Amino acid sequence: MTFIINGEEQEVAAATLADLLLALDYEGEWLATAVNGELVHREDRGDLRLGEGDRIEILSPMQGG
């Protein structure tokens, strides 16, 4: 399916948000995710079914100072 991920169109085979994160090699406890402007909590990612053209934001903390 085609998604808009962090502002860029990408083709990824994923049915759920959890699948998408695995396909894109995102891991860790500290990710923040939103689909179509709605925050998605970590425990809900496996149940959230994605649709063609969904807008997904994935944020991870950066280290440094």
Side-chain angles (χ1 to χ4, degrees), residues 7-40:
E8 294 184 23
E9 189 174 295
Q10 294 187 41
E11 183 77 24
V12 182
T16 67
L17 182 55
D19 294 340
L20 179 79
L21 293 173
L22 283 173
L24 296 176
D25 291 326
Y26 279 97
E27 53 185 66
E29 300 289 317
W30 299 103
L31 293 175
T33 54
V35 175
N36 299 323
E38 297 291 324
L39 180 68
V40 179

Side-chain angles (χ1 to χ4, degrees), residues 23 30 41 51 58 65:
W30 299 103
H41 295 281
I58 305 166

Side-chain angles (χ1 to χ4, degrees), residues 1-13:
M1 273 193 266
T2 302
F3 305 108
I4 308 299
I5 302 169
N6 294 340
E8 294 184 23
E9 189 174 295
Q10 294 187 41
E11 183 77 24
V12 182

